[in-house]
Amino acid sequence: MSILENLSRVRDRINSAAFKAGRDPAEIRVVAVTKNVPVAVISEALAGGAAFLGENRVQEFLQKYKQLPKETEWHFIGHLQTNKVKKIIGKVKLIHSLDRWELAEAISKAACNTVCTVDVLVQVNVAGEKTKYGLPVSEAGDFIADALKLPGLNIRGLMTIAPICRNPEEARPFFRQLRELFNLVREIHGPGIEFLSMGMSGDYEVAVEEGANILRIGTALFGTRD
Ligand SMILES: *Cc1c(COP(=O)(O)O)cnc(C)c1O
């Protein structure tokens, strides 16, 4: 399968899932996750209409950032060390992985020194997995209320990574729980809370049915990573 075919197949599936759920597919963004993908292949995806790219490692992101067109919209989706915040600020449009207070402070400080505001999503560890980063559901509400008081830090929504499941249906309760939290946070803090980032190659159709408006998709577009 070519990248172009993969892009159109993923789009078709998103459209079907959206229609099934009574949603407008136009409101659903796909972040093409390009970790381990060479620049030439990423260029092909960009030419084929991929509008947003996601990386989870700072070094790899910076390498690719240098080589790809300036207008590319990058998202940072991985665990971020506080001492690396400065390197990506101003270069990425959205950080999906705000997962602890120390990082909120570091982003706020870096934002105030440079670009003024940084858009972020709060990562929630819905399933409470030991192997994953993110706030517990029970702490996310207070965390967001506090973090919104930090200058320069613009909280735009929530992100989660569902547990690895053989059957995508097993991810549904976690997506639903994040959606409920999202609704609550939006009710409290208003429509600036706009993005719900959930769903990957194995479970994105279920995520669409449960209300995701940003999907992070790697393997289904670029094939299996080494
Ligand atoms: C790698 C990665 C993805 C994409 O995973 P696929 O299963 O390849 O689609 C999504 N989100 C994050 C945070 C990732 O690290």
Side-chain angles (χ1 to χ4, degrees), residues 24-42:
D24 177 3
E27 72 183 26
I28 299 162
R29 298 169 197 226
V30 174
V31 172
V33 177
T34 53
K35 61 189 182 207
N36 293 2
V37 178
V39 165
V41 178
I42 302 173

Side-chain angles (χ1 to χ4, degrees), residues 62-167:
L62 292 172
Q63 278 301 319
K64 290 171 179 170
Y65 179 83
K66 274 194 300 205
Q67 297 176 65
L68 287 157
K70 270 286 159 291
E71 62 274 15
T72 306
E73 184 176 316
W74 287 97
H75 291 215
F76 193 81
I77 61 174
H79 184 64
L80 182 56
Q81 288 171 263
T82 51
N83 63 352
K84 299 211 172 132
V85 168
K86 280 201 296 285
K87 298 187 175 178
I88 68 165
I89 274 192
K91 299 189 174 79
V92 299
K93 179 88 175 177
L94 185 65
I95 297 173
H96 289 226
S97 43
L98 173 56
D99 57 6
R100 63 202 189 281
W101 185 253
E102 189 195 17
L103 181 61
E105 288 181 325
I107 295 172
S108 168
K109 198 165 146 218
C112 295
N113 288 335
T114 50
V115 287
C116 301
T117 63
V118 176
D119 282 356
V120 302
L121 307 180
V122 171
Q123 182 172 352
V124 182
N125 186 354
V126 182
E129 291 177 285
K130 293 262 187 315
T131 52
K132 291 212 171 91
Y133 294 105
L135 285 125
V137 173
S138 61
E139 291 173 20
D142 286 346
F143 179 92
I144 291 166
D146 291 340
L148 277 165
K149 294 178 193 144
L150 292 174
L153 184 73
N154 215 0
I155 295 186
R156 303 300 313 278
L158 303 177
M159 179 273 232
T160 199
I161 304 171
I164 298 166
C165 306
R166 242 169 306 145
N167 177 352

Side-chain angles (χ1 to χ4, degrees), residues 167-186:
N167 177 352
E169 279 303 321
E170 292 167 35
R172 190 182 294 278
F174 303 113
F175 291 152
R176 187 164 293 175
Q177 219 183 322
L178 194 70
R179 169 63 195 231
E180 283 163 6
L181 181 64
F182 175 82
N183 289 346
L184 197 70
V185 169
R186 193 175 151 96

Side-chain angles (χ1 to χ4, degrees), residues 33 35 56 77 161 200-201 216-219 225:
V33 177
K35 61 189 182 207
N56 67 338
I77 61 174
I161 304 171
M200 308 181 5
S201 294
R216 307 176 312 270
I217 301 182
T219 311
R225 289 179 291 271

